[in-house]
């Protein structure tokens, strides 16, 4: 089987799926050409992520990666969410096929994009190096 039970569970029963009208921050990453687009919504109170939602247009691995990433940052300080890595998402999902690893990278980048949006909206200083993105699209776009 290509996918772990964890991946299949998060694909079939995604956690934190949906939009958030009153979000404190929104991060969107992806590329329409390769089909994976992730949007993460954050609700933040006293520097803690109190709620998180996501909408992902993409394959099962993209949906599972988004779902797992939201579970991993919910209830955590913003600074801790910023440390989320695609490797941690893959480990939590008990692996992804090599050709689907870019989905976990998109999940990491969507979280970072949402945190950056929060920092920008609230005038919070940050190191711009933390938010540099490498191209993640497998189609090379």
């Amino acid at each position: 089987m290509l996918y772990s039970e964890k991946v299949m569970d998060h694909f079939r029963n995604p956690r934190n799926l949906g939009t958030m009208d009153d979000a404190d921050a929104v991060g969107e990453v992806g590329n329409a050409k390769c089909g994976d687009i992730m949007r993460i919504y954050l609700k933040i109170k006293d520097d803690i992520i109190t709620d998180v939602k996501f909408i992902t247009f993409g394959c099962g691995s993209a949906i599972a990666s988004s779902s797992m990433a939201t579970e991993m940052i919910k209830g955590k300080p913003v600074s801790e969410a910023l440390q989320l890595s695609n490797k941690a998402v893959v480990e939590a999902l008990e692996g992804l096929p090599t050709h689907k690893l870019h989905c976990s990278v998109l999940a990491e980048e969507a979280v970072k994009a949402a945190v950056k949006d929060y920092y920008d909206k609230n005038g919070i200083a940050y190191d711009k190096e933390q938010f540099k993105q490498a191209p993640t699209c497998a189609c090379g776009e």
Side-chain angles (χ1 to χ4, degrees):
M1 183 165 88
L2 273 178
Y3 298 105
S4 70
E5 281 301 314
K6 248 280 161 69
V7 171
M8 294 308 296
D9 181 39
H10 276 267
F11 168 63
R12 289 188 188 113
N13 308 294
R15 280 56 149 196
N16 308 305
L17 181 64
T19 60
M20 189 185 297
D21 292 334
D22 62 344
D24 293 312
V26 180
E28 183 175 321
V29 297
N31 185 313
K33 284 190 177 174
C34 63
D36 293 324
I37 299 174
M38 293 181 187
R39 184 178 295 145
I40 299 227
Y41 302 83
L42 301 177
K43 191 77 183 150
I44 299 166
K45 183 171 174 38
D46 299 326
D47 202 45
I48 302 293
I49 297 169
T50 57
D51 197 12
V52 56
K53 298 276 185 216
F54 80 92
I55 293 289
T56 292
F57 300 97
C59 65
S61 294
I63 292 165
S65 293
S66 302
S67 174
M68 182 56 82
T70 62
E71 284 286 276
M72 294 173 78
I73 66 170
K74 195 173 193 177
K76 300 280 196 305
V78 174
S79 60
E80 200 172 311
L82 196 52
Q83 302 307 312
L84 179 74
S85 71
N86 75 296
K87 288 179 181 65
V89 173
V90 171
E91 285 172 19
L93 286 171
E94 297 171 358
L96 282 174
T98 305
H99 67 285
K100 293 294 183 179
L101 288 175
H102 71 278
C103 296
S104 64
V105 175
L106 279 176
E108 173 189 329
E109 289 182 351
V111 169
K112 284 185 175 168
V115 170
K116 183 180 183 302
D117 184 51
Y118 175 71
Y119 286 170
D120 288 343
K121 284 179 177 172
N122 290 280
I124 298 168
Y126 57 85
D127 178 2
K128 290 183 177 23
E129 288 294 312
Q130 282 184 291
F131 298 97
K132 282 203 169 172
Q133 293 183 0
T136 57
C137 182
C139 67
E141 292 295 320

